[in-house]
Amino acid sequence: MNNIRMSSKIAHTRLPVMGNLIKVLGKDLENCPHFFLDFENAQPTEAETAVWNQVSAVLEEAHGILAELQSYNGAGQEIREAIQNPSDLQLQEKAWNAVCPLVAKLKRFYEFSLRLENALRSLLEALTSPPYAPMQHLEREQALAKQFAEILHFTLSFDELKMTNPAIQNDFSYYRRTISRNRLNNQQLDAENEVNNEMANRMSLFYAEATPMLKTLSNATTKFVSENKTLPIEDTTDCLSTMACVCRVMLETPEYRCRFTNTDTMLFCMRVMVGVIILYDHVHPVGAFAKTSKIDMKGCIKVLKEQDSNSVEGLLNALRYTTRHLNDDSTSKQIRAMLQ
C-alpha cells in the first residue's frame, strides 16, 4: 500500500494566504470554507519547522510499519500443530519460536501508536492555538495540515489491514496462554523480558479494538480537549470539520482534482476525510451526524459512493462501525439509509 510521503526535494510555491487560496464555490453550503490543501507539495515555513521536524521523525516510520503489517502472515500452522499435539515438545518449541518474533513486531506497532499519539497532540496544539481560527491555521500552516492528514491516512490504512488479519490476535493469544502456562510451571521464558505482563496487558487492550489506531487518535483528541480547559472545544472540532469540508470539495470538484499529480492522492483524500469525520464524531458533544453538525455528511457519503466500491468499502465500514453517533435519534433517516 503506497503511502503519500514527504519529500523535501519537491519544490512548492505557497499560495498567498487568506485570499487566493480560498475558493468559495457558492454551492449549497456558503458557510463551509472551500480551499485547496496541497497534500502533495506543501513544505514547512520557518514558523512550522519545529513541530514539523518532530512529527516528521514519527511519520518516517509509518511507511515501514504498514509494509510490515501488510506482510504479516502469522504463525497459524505452527500454532495448530502445537495445539493438536500437546505432548510433542518439538512442535511446542517450533510454535513458540515462530510466535516470538511476531509478538516483537506487534510490540513495535503498539509502541508506534504511542509516538503517533504524541505527534497528533503536537499538531493539535499548533493548529488550534490563538490568535488564529482553525481555518486560518489550515491555510497558513499547510505543511502541518498535510502531516495531520498523513497521520489519519496511516491510521485508516493500518486499521484496514489489521481488521482483515485475524492472525494478529490469534498469535498474541497463543503467546499469552504459553506465558501463563509456563508461569504456572515456574518457568521464565526469554520473551517475557521483551514483553512483560504489564506490556502484554496494554497490547492486549490495543489489539482487542477493531480499529486500534483510530481508537488511539480518538482518545488522544478527547484527552487534548479535556486537558485544555481554556481552549474552546469548537477550536478543535472546527479544525476537524474544516478539513473534512476541504477534502470533500477537493474530491467533488474537477478543477481541484486535476491538480493532483499522484494517482494515490484521491484515496489519500478520502481516507483523511473519513478520519476527521470519525474524530469529530467522537469529540463533538452531538457528533458528526446531527443536523447542527458542521460537516456535510450527505455530501461526504455521496462523494465516497461515487468512487470505485473496492477502494471505499473499508472507509464506508469505518463510518458505519467506528463512529459514535450514527445510531442516535438525531441522525436523519436519509443519512442512515445512505450507509446501509
Side-chain angles (χ1 to χ4, degrees):
M1 183 175 299
N2 291 327
N3 193 10
I4 295 186
R5 306 176 71 191
M6 298 187 183
S7 172
S8 58
K9 297 176 183 176
I10 301 174
H12 171 60
T13 305
R14 184 177 291 277
L15 294 171
V17 175
M18 294 303 291
N20 292 345
L21 200 57
I22 294 184
K23 307 281 188 182
V24 177
L25 303 180
K27 293 187 179 177
D28 52 338
L29 282 176
E30 298 247 340
N31 292 329
C32 181
H34 300 271
F35 57 88
F36 185 83
L37 259 178
D38 195 346
F39 285 142
E40 293 180 342
N41 302 320
Q43 297 294 311
T45 60
E46 189 175 345
E48 296 170 87
T49 301
V51 174
W52 189 90
N53 285 339
Q54 177 196 339
V55 177
S56 183
V58 177
L59 284 170
E60 280 174 5
E61 296 180 58
H63 189 69
I65 294 284
L66 284 181
E68 279 195 78
L69 180 57
Q70 196 163 25
S71 63
Y72 189 102
N73 293 321
Q77 184 176 341
E78 292 88 344
I79 290 171
R80 277 192 300 274
E81 289 175 352
I83 291 172
Q84 289 165 4
N85 302 277
S87 58
D88 189 325
L89 295 180
Q90 192 173 357
L91 288 177
Q92 305 307 310
E93 188 176 350
K94 183 182 177 184
W96 180 250
N97 290 337
V99 163
C100 284
L102 294 172
V103 169
K105 263 188 192 181
L106 296 179
K107 182 190 177 191
R108 283 201 302 278
F109 298 164
Y110 169 70
E111 289 174 334
F112 182 74
S113 78
L114 303 180
R115 292 197 291 280
L116 201 70
E117 182 179 346
N118 289 331
L120 178 75
R121 183 183 182 87
S122 297
L123 288 173
L124 285 173
E125 286 173 355
L127 293 171
T128 59
S129 60
Y132 299 113
M135 185 182 74
Q136 292 171 303
H137 273 297
L138 291 175
E139 289 184 292
R140 294 172 65 92
E141 291 137 36
Q142 292 224 353
L144 297 187
K146 180 189 174 200
Q147 286 185 319
F148 186 64
E150 286 177 317
I151 286 177
L152 290 165
H153 177 264
F154 165 82
T155 296
L156 268 71
S157 300
F158 181 97
D159 287 346
E160 280 179 22
L161 288 170
K162 186 266 177 186
M163 279 193 289
T164 55
N165 195 340
I168 289 172
Q169 281 180 279
N170 293 340
D171 292 347
F172 195 63
S173 295
Y174 178 81
Y175 173 84
R176 297 207 73 184
R177 288 198 305 273
T178 305
I179 290 284
S180 298
R181 188 168 63 245
N182 282 279
R183 196 175 288 132
L184 287 173
N185 297 330
N186 293 317
Q187 292 177 323
Q188 175 88 13
L189 297 170
D190 290 341
E192 278 194 88
N193 296 326
E194 177 154 359
V195 180
N196 60 30
N197 198 47
E198 183 188 349
M199 172 62 77
N201 286 337
R202 294 204 303 268
M203 287 171 62
S204 186
L205 289 172
F206 178 76
Y207 288 110
E209 294 288 342
T211 52
M213 286 291 176
L214 200 53
K215 181 69 173 177
T216 298
L217 294 199
S218 173
N219 288 346
T221 307
T222 304
K223 187 178 177 184
F224 173 79
V225 169
S226 65
E227 287 180 352
N228 288 271
K229 306 290 186 189
T230 59
L231 186 72
I233 188 173
E234 290 79 13
D235 283 19
T236 303
T237 55
D238 284 359
C239 176
L240 301 174
S241 61
T242 300
M243 189 170 277
C245 175
V246 168
C247 289
R248 174 180 62 78
V249 171
M250 291 199 298
L251 287 166
E252 68 186 11
T253 309
E255 294 91 329
Y256 286 164
R257 284 203 309 272
C258 71
R259 292 170 68 176
F260 298 155
T261 59
N262 189 325
T263 54
D264 292 334
T265 306
M266 283 283 288
L267 181 57
F268 178 88
C269 214
M270 287 187 279
R271 278 211 179 97
V272 173
M273 181 179 74
V274 169
V276 289
I277 288 170
I278 295 167
L279 284 185
Y280 183 99
D281 194 57
H282 279 254
V283 175
H284 196 282
V286 298
F289 298 96
K291 287 182 181 178
T292 53
S293 166
K294 291 187 178 180
I295 297 177
D296 174 15
M297 284 306 305
K298 290 178 188 174
C300 290
I301 297 168
K302 181 173 177 285
V303 81
L304 287 174
K305 291 203 155 188
E306 287 170 352
Q307 314 305 318
D308 175 56
S309 60
N310 291 330
S311 63
V312 299
E313 192 57 31
L315 297 177
L316 290 168
N317 282 337
L319 290 177
R320 289 175 187 125
Y321 306 122
T322 65
T323 47
R324 183 173 286 174
H325 295 280
L326 174 61
N327 295 315
D328 287 3
D329 293 338
S330 57
T331 302
S332 74
K333 290 180 181 177
Q334 188 179 358
I335 289 177
R336 285 187 208 175
M338 290 176 79
L339 284 173
Q340 279 180 353

